[in-house]
Amino acid sequence: MKGFGTKHSTAAGLPFAGIPPEMMGKTNALMQDEPDFNNLELEFSHRTDDQETFSLLNFLAPYKYRMLGALGLVGTTEALLLLGPYLIKVAIDDGIIPKDFSVLIWVAVIWIASLFVAGFVSGFRQRYVGRLGQLLMYELRIRVFAHLQRLSLDFFTEEKAGRLMARMTSDIEALSNLLQNGLVNLVAQTLSLLFIIGILLSFNVELTLILLIIAAPIMLAMTTWFKTVSAKGYENVRNRIADVLSDLQESLSGMRLVISFNRMKHNIINHRNRVGDYRNANNYTARASAIYSSATMFVDSATTIIILAVGYLILLDINPTLDPQGAFTLGALVAFANMVSRFFKPINALVGLYNEFQSGNAAVLKLSNLLATPPSVEEKEDPIEIEDMRGDIKLQNVTFSYGASEPVLRNVSLHIEAGKSISFVGPTGAGKSTLAKLIARFYDPNEGGILIDDHNLLDLSIKSLHSQLGVVPQEPFLFHGSIKDNIRFSNIDATDEEIMSACKAVGIEDLIDRLPQGLDTPCHERGSSLSSGERQLLALARAFLSKPRVLILDEATSNIDQQSESKIERALDSLLQGRTAIIIAHRLATAMRADIIAVIKDQGIAEIGSHKDLIDKDGYYAEMYETWIRQNKGTTLD
Ligand SMILES: Nc1ncnc2c1ncn2[C@@H]1O[C@H](COP(=O)(O)OP(=O)(O)OP(=O)(O)O)[C@@H](O)[C@H]1O
Ligand SMILES: [Mg+2]
């Protein structure tokens, strides 16, 4: 068994209490199915190859024969179910009135047989249509997810995560409803309505007209009202439950603040209001359903009674002797009355399907917009695969702004020689992280160019660039899984020894020794069970393991105590041997150690040079240094 209980069981963030013995067998079987990520045959490209726009028709085209198959099955079921009322007519006219008992037996046999076949076909249909729908959803989810993996960083900050989640859940859900029931039913119900009208017309034209001209419009109006009201109502219910959940989530994750600021009462009132809104929303839809179902029942019965009464008058008029061979027979009347509710069924279904079709179509539109969004950092055709990067970095007149706002960096030029380290210092929000992100090609500059080993970043394959770049971001992110999984993230093939030596390099081997399961200890979501400093150390170990040619540390040691930091710095000194490093640090002690220091300020590089140069220059850096010295006076300075 591969590391069970470290990775999966803590998904809900609950303490892991072991797998109950009765579930062990199933668990083992599940583990057997774990994919081996090294062997999965999956091609991933940064370029979007399929230029075809996403539309319902394009998406369904490869499945057209299966869709036809589904349609055939649905049509068969509907037709078989219509046999019943017709058999009633036969039973009355050819069996009961002429007192021919054998006809009754035949009718019974055929009816029962048809119900059996209908049951069988409909079971098969449900399975077939359900599977087809699931297959389509599977393809769609993977397609959208793969596209998300391809999009650039700017997309994920601009587009709210919540909206993306909505794309992946409710939009795909709407489409799934449309595909699983909608399309097939739309055709099937239309067919069934036509069948029914045909049969009814063959029974009696006047009665059919009554149904079509008087009863159908009333039913149609009622159903349209109900579907509109309930669509609005259900949307409201969904929004209200989302409010309840987000309130719950917020107060649970902020529990520490809630307790320390005594906000419990306020929180309860707040939550009570949200839960109350949710209850009201549900009551509203329940009331609408109640009105609708009793009103339809009323219309249904009233129509049946009117049909029977008018039908009786017609019968008296044209066939008073109840001749079973007559133009209108008793059997036809009873069968007709029996068909009234069958007639309403497709009408109601079609109104519902219309709504479903509309929301499915809206979902298709939104998804096709998403799928048509190109990555803003796009790989060019036939990119250069750069191997053994030296790490010589040049920025030439780089100007960059996020979206349409004022440029963060304007006309910046900089040369970082291979193997040298540079540190960026400067005020908060000046653009230090931005500069580092440009070098890592998370964004492309608006003007100017960035060269690595004299290749423009735009010409390089993104994969080869990133595989030789180690980035430790300002807010390290830990994934679900064990500590080992998280460190190994940068290099899946690393052995336990390599992982352990990376841990040693950043000085977390003590921490790991202290943990009950060592390297296999799960770090909870976002690493909330580790301290911020420990998280940064893990992120550093992750970067160490990938042995990058260029290392970018963005405040990577800001939450680490000075003692551990100086330990890491010694380790860094050995890691940085022969590698290019970009170090962003607010702490001067860290920044000072770089070969060159650049002060990022006022949209550009205000000062650049060695520590000594900048002190001599007596500018921003010298002032920073002085403040720091003054603050640290009396305390130890190493
Ligand atoms: N994704 C983004 N979209 C829009 N604006 C952004 C984005 N990221 C950063 N900014 C803005 O760009 C400016 C530079 O940000 P950056 O993160 O580079 O600053 P920094 O120098 O790293 O600051 P700090 O020292 O606080 O880390 C800031 O004004 C910030 O608000
Ligand atoms: Mg920053």
Side-chain angles (χ1 to χ4, degrees), residues 43 135 142 168 243 245 251 284 314 321 349 441 466 492 497 521 526 547 561 580 596 598 613:
E43 289 297 320
L135 174 68
I142 292 178
M168 291 300 268
D243 285 350
L245 292 180
S251 56
Y284 178 80
I314 296 177
T321 58
R441 208 180 168 206
H466 285 168
I492 303 279
E497 287 74 55
T521 310
R526 281 198 153 263
K547 304 223 165 60
D561 68 81
T580 310
I596 324 167
D613 294 343

Side-chain angles (χ1 to χ4, degrees), residues 621-636:
Y621 182 81
E623 203 178 305
M624 252 172 84
Y625 184 67
E626 230 164 79
T627 320
W628 183 64
I629 293 284
R630 230 181 298 125
Q631 279 171 353
N632 284 273
K633 208 175 253 168
T635 59
T636 48

Side-chain angles (χ1 to χ4, degrees), residues 234-255:
Y234 279 115
E235 163 142 25
N236 201 21
V237 168
R238 277 197 302 275
N239 290 339
R240 296 289 81 80
I241 189 67
D243 285 350
V244 169
L245 292 180
S246 76
D247 188 56
L248 195 61
Q249 152 86 25
E250 197 173 285
S251 56
L252 288 184
S253 51
M255 210 56 198

Side-chain angles (χ1 to χ4, degrees), residues 393 420 422 468-472 540 542-544 546-554 572 575-576 579-583:
I393 301 171
K420 289 276 159 69
I422 184 169
Q468 303 185 60
L469 217 70
V471 181
V472 182
L540 271 176
R542 190 189 274 165
F544 265 64
S546 70
K547 304 223 165 60
R549 301 299 310 158
V550 176
L551 191 66
I552 299 177
L553 306 178
D554 190 349
L572 268 181
L575 178 81
L576 296 184
R579 297 191 160 89
T580 310
I582 295 165
I583 300 161

Side-chain angles (χ1 to χ4, degrees), residues 52 227 337 383:
E52 201 175 64
K227 295 291 176 185

